[in-house]
Amino acid sequence: MTSEAPNPQHLTLRFRQHKLTILLFVSPQDTIDSIKSKLLETIQSTGVNEINGHRLPTNAEDISLGVPIDKNDISQGWVDLEIPALDDNDGKKGKAKESILNKTPQGAGLKDGSLLAFRFQAADKDDDELIANNERWDVVMPSFEEDEAK
């Protein structure tokens, strides 16, 4: 894994799955795909093969990223960072327009310290099945109630 020295323009992004948090330093101009690759390389470099029963994918394309619905109230849940491509060709052949928001952290409005959820897409499950089984985002945030119970 190649790493470059962080500089003041880099962002620190926090990636969360279950109780695991990974910090990555990224450039605001890095592509989201390259950030997913860095995330996968970072996890693989630790020797971990699964996180809370979810096996690591072999390809970074099988990682989905999510952002909080309300960054001030994480308990409200998460939405996909990736915005589906729009097809405005009125049924004509052609390439659908991709959103600029999918390209870079800067385009997605991510700032230094932003929190993102990540999950691994299972090849045998589709999004509807994940939502129905409430497996969409496996993020456990610590709370004061847990500390007080000890």
Side-chain angles (χ1 to χ4, degrees):
M1 178 171 75
T2 61
S3 63
E4 58 186 71
N7 64 46
Q9 286 77 34
H10 277 85
L11 303 175
T12 302
L13 298 180
R14 300 176 296 153
F15 295 88
R16 185 103 176 153
Q17 185 182 49
H18 195 61
K19 295 181 179 181
L20 174 71
T21 302
I22 298 171
L23 301 177
L24 285 182
F25 296 107
V26 300
S27 167
Q29 288 78 32
D30 282 351
T31 64
I32 297 296
D33 290 336
S34 71
I35 293 171
K36 287 180 186 181
S37 295
K38 287 180 189 178
L39 178 62
L40 183 58
E41 287 175 16
T42 301
I43 298 169
Q44 289 171 336
S45 71
T46 64
V48 172
N49 294 324
E50 67 178 39
I51 299 173
N52 196 36
H54 303 284
R55 294 203 49 80
L56 259 63
T58 55
N59 191 339
E61 292 176 0
D62 293 331
I63 296 176
S64 294
L65 299 177
V67 292
I69 292 171
D70 180 353
K71 66 181 178 182
N72 296 318
D73 184 7
I74 302 297
S75 66
Q76 289 188 19
W78 305 83
V79 294
D80 280 319
L81 176 65
E82 185 174 336
I83 298 170
L86 298 175
D87 186 13
D88 65 348
N89 294 332
D90 297 328
K92 300 176 188 171
K93 288 185 178 180
K95 188 175 179 183
K97 287 186 179 180
E98 291 185 10
S99 173
I100 190 72
L101 301 178
N102 293 340
K103 300 295 183 190
T104 65
Q106 190 173 30
L110 300 177
K111 298 182 181 351
D112 191 40
S114 289
L115 179 64
L116 294 101
F118 68 95
R119 70 177 177 95
F120 309 129
Q121 296 174 354
D124 58 340
K125 294 184 180 179
D126 61 8
D127 277 351
D128 293 335
E129 186 178 346
L130 289 170
I131 292 168
N133 293 333
N134 200 19
E135 297 176 21
R136 188 87 174 122
W137 302 105
D138 177 18
V139 176
V140 178
M141 297 302 291
S143 67
F144 291 115
E145 290 82 26
E146 290 175 4
D147 291 339
E148 291 174 1
K150 291 182 181 177

